[in-house]
Amino acid sequence: MTVSIGNVEIEKTAVLAPMASVADRSYRLMCKKYGASYVVSEMVSAKGICYSDKKTSALCTVTPQERPMAIQLFGSEPDFMAEAVKIVLEYNPDIIDINMGCPVHKVVNTGAGSALMKDIKLASQITESAVKSAGSVPVTVKIRSGWDSQHINAVEMAKALENSGASAIAVHGRTRDQFYTGIADRDIIRQVKNAVSVPVIANGDVTDAESCIDMYEKTGCDLVMIGRGSYGNPFIFEEISARLAGKEYIPPTVQEKMSVMLEHIRLILSLSDKPEELAMHEARKHASWYMNGYYGSAKFRGRCYQLSSYAEAERLAREFVDLQALKGFQSC
């Protein structure tokens, strides 16, 4: 079964959320390998790309292995958004996504991200500008449930964005004030789904196949988006795909997890233009996430943040596997 976003067909399993400083190309490729049906780039500043920011432009490259893929833009000015979309089209994305949900201060303080939940008129203007510039490329928008618990306005926001030409709406079921704490509100996602005719993508607290299916059932959403549930766990997409297909899923052993961790690190190193020691800084958090849920993982995760070479990562992985075997732990 597939879901259509504009002219783009996406398998109705699970998709990877855009995550700044996490979901880079290596991360996206690992998740695609294990079954993510759609991925989104890290946030790209609309104003930054208009000023030819080299780092920003590097975020926009779309490789064949990542498709279907969206490039996500953030900004608070319709004119800059329109120009940024024109520039981004040169990278041939399948979809252009606009971030109106990021809660971090440095984004919100510019009037972008979830700050736009407080200004639906401006949010609509930004969306309309992007849609006009995008031509046949679908434009989607990612929002939150609202700014705070006193201002839950995702339904009103979604209706306005649909009227402005958005081809799909992704909803994270938390307010900006919540950041990533508390429990994601599935009821507000269901309300958005019932209020608009475009596809709705549900995001928040999906950590396995069971919670993914529950999200589909409780909200009626068209797609489920996974963020933190994929940390050190690209296998979650394989698990969900198997469950939805009625097939048996066998979780990876600790040996298999460490093998995939090392594969991920190699990919990070191969895609980086930095010396190995500096590139390993990018790999440290990913290595630590693969060790979650095992005996003695806290100590080993701490050691991950000292890694400065691939050889050190290999040794650490071997020690970790040996410890699990010694203690009789294969998974948790």
Side-chain angles (χ1 to χ4, degrees):
M1 184 182 298
T2 61
V3 174
S4 299
I5 296 180
N7 55 6
V8 181
E9 294 291 321
I10 299 171
E11 188 177 358
K12 189 170 182 173
T13 51
V15 307
L16 178 66
M19 294 179 285
S21 301
V22 173
D24 59 9
R25 186 177 304 145
S26 62
Y27 197 96
R28 297 191 300 267
L29 287 170
M30 292 302 296
C31 290
K32 286 291 288 188
K33 177 179 178 178
Y34 286 94
S37 59
Y38 166 61
V39 299
V40 187
S41 76
E42 299 176 81
M43 286 193 306
V44 179
S45 167
K47 185 172 286 188
I49 200 170
C50 288
Y51 287 127
S52 300
D53 183 291
K54 292 183 179 180
K55 180 180 178 182
T56 299
S57 297
L59 295 173
C60 296
T61 300
V62 180
T63 63
Q65 298 94 326
E66 294 170 274
R67 296 187 184 279
M69 174 177 162
I71 293 176
Q72 187 184 74
L73 299 171
F74 75 94
S76 59
E77 298 165 82
D79 290 345
F80 274 111
M81 186 62 69
E83 185 60 30
V85 168
K86 292 177 184 177
I87 294 170
V88 161
L89 289 177
E90 297 175 8
Y91 296 90
N92 196 27
D94 299 292
I95 293 172
I96 293 170
D97 185 56
I98 303 175
N99 185 306
M100 297 188 185
C102 180
V104 301
H105 295 289
K106 67 178 181 180
V107 173
V108 169
N109 289 344
T110 67
S114 56
L116 289 166
M117 297 298 300
K118 298 190 293 182
D119 193 339
I120 292 179
K121 181 178 179 181
L122 178 58
S124 297
Q125 291 171 345
I126 290 170
T127 303
E128 188 173 343
S129 294
V131 170
K132 286 181 179 178
S133 291
S136 62
V137 176
V139 173
T140 62
V141 186
K142 191 169 191 287
I143 66 174
R144 284 194 165 227
S145 61
W147 176 256
D148 56 31
S149 60
Q150 281 71 51
H151 301 88
I152 304 294
N153 62 344
V155 171
E156 182 184 358
M157 180 79 151
K159 286 181 178 179
L161 298 176
E162 179 182 28
N163 289 336
S164 296
S167 294
I169 311 288
V171 186
H172 184 147
R174 288 183 172 87
T175 64
R176 187 270 174 176
D177 276 6
Q178 284 182 281
F179 277 73
Y180 300 99
T181 63
I183 300 173
D185 184 352
R186 297 189 174 186
D187 185 59
I188 191 65
I189 300 174
R190 179 184 57 78
Q191 291 178 40
V192 171
K193 173 58 185 172
N194 291 339
V196 298
S197 59
V198 295
V200 170
I201 305 170
N203 180 214
D205 296 343
V206 176
T207 57
D208 53 24
E210 183 177 353
S211 54
C212 178
I213 291 171
D214 186 67
M215 179 70 89
Y216 274 121
E217 292 177 347
K218 295 285 178 60
T219 68
C221 66
D222 299 279
L223 286 169
V224 168
M225 177 174 276
I226 299 174
R228 291 173 297 156
S230 67
Y231 283 8
N233 186 29
F235 320 101
I236 190 172
F237 298 100
E238 187 174 59
E239 177 191 356
I240 289 168
S241 295
R243 179 72 173 273
L244 291 173
K247 298 178 181 178
E248 181 184 9
Y249 172 72
I250 301 174
T253 64
V254 64
Q255 292 92 338
E256 290 167 338
K257 267 200 165 185
M258 290 303 97
S259 177
V260 173
M261 178 196 80
L262 292 172
E263 178 186 356
H264 192 164
I265 293 175
R266 291 195 298 272
L267 190 54
I268 291 171
L269 295 176
S270 70
L271 293 174
S272 177
D273 57 2
K274 299 176 182 177
E276 181 180 10
E277 184 174 356
L278 291 180
M280 282 300 298
H281 289 187
E282 303 291 330
R284 289 172 174 177
K285 60 179 177 284
H286 298 286
S288 73
W289 290 334
Y290 279 94
M291 294 180 175
N292 279 337
Y294 291 95
Y295 179 84
S297 62
K299 178 181 178 181
F300 274 84
R301 290 199 308 271
R303 291 175 61 187
C304 285
Y305 284 93
Q306 304 301 318
L307 292 172
S308 59
S309 71
Y310 178 74
E312 290 178 4
E314 281 189 309
R315 287 195 295 271
L316 191 62
R318 284 197 297 271
E319 287 183 41
F320 191 70
V321 170
D322 290 344
L323 176 64
Q324 304 313 310
L326 179 65
K327 296 297 182 178
F329 286 85
Q330 286 302 305
S331 63
C332 180

